[in-house]
Amino acid sequence: MAKITNNMIAVLLVAAIALSGFSLMAVSNWRGVSITGGASTGTGTANVTIGSSTDIVLLRSVVDFDSGSLGGATRYLTTNSDNYDTFDDGGEGNGTTGTTVVYGTCVGTEATCAFPVVVQNAGNINVSVNITASAVATSWIGTGAAATFKGKNNESSACGQNFGAIGEGSWTTLGTSETLVCNNLSFSDAGSDEIRIHFNLTVPTDATGYKTVTLTVGSIAA
């Protein structure tokens, strides 16, 4: 077989290019041929996938009954009604700032009200809300003490009546185990994604000093 030199290969390549160029020219010079686009009407589809997100925000995260005197008797401090002596009053209002502050049954000023915790569903899926205390009441208040909570709607039908088996408005023991507050908190921004968590403390007559406990409010998909 004869050897093809480098020069011959070069010539063959040039010839191939020339033929390709000729073919293109021939197509472009055709007459009477019209090429148009797609149909004048049609339908299409656009898809988007948005993930679910569980996210809660504590619009009010501190409950402060302030200081007062027990007066030689066991006292019950609550975020729902008047409290004894100079302890801050409770109220059904949320106490959060905005256009107006809702004080509920408080005396009417921020400084003298013990507000509940206010929870907002800031995600895009209904969630179940639970609460845990860092210690039981007998540990952080004293022997004979008790601490309870209850969930209530801060906005109409945010949780409906789904506040656990005992329902809205019933006191539940606050302890170190996760306890249900609301099992189906709505994520709707149309005035129905907030609940309140109210607290009631039983303070025995021999309790004294500064008392505090850490609360953890969590959520999972409902």
Side-chain angles (χ1 to χ4, degrees), residues 136-159:
V136 295
T138 52
S139 295
W140 66 276
I141 298 177
T143 303
T148 57
F149 75 90
K150 63 180 173 181
K152 301 198 74 173
N153 287 315
N154 194 49
E155 295 179 309
S156 178
S157 300
C159 193

Side-chain angles (χ1 to χ4, degrees), residues 145-203:
T148 57
F149 75 90
K150 63 180 173 181
K152 301 198 74 173
N153 287 315
N154 194 49
E155 295 179 309
S156 178
S157 300
C159 193
Q161 294 298 315
N162 300 313
F163 288 90
I166 58 177
E168 180 184 12
S170 298
W171 294 107
T172 306
T173 299
L174 176 66
T176 55
S177 298
E178 286 187 2
T179 307
L180 181 68
V181 177
C182 165
N183 64 12
N184 195 32
L185 175 57
S186 169
F187 66 93
S188 171
D189 291 328
S192 59
D193 61 354
E194 295 176 16
I195 60 171
R196 302 190 303 270
I197 307 177
H198 287 273
F199 299 93
N200 185 78
L201 306 181
T202 300
V203 184

Side-chain angles (χ1 to χ4, degrees), residues 69-95:
S69 172
L70 296 176
T74 296
R75 300 298 178 182
Y76 305 93
L77 304 181
T78 178
T79 55
N80 282 70
S81 61
D82 290 345
N83 293 310
Y84 178 78
D85 195 51
T86 56
F87 293 106
D88 285 354
D89 284 344
E92 286 293 308
N94 57 37

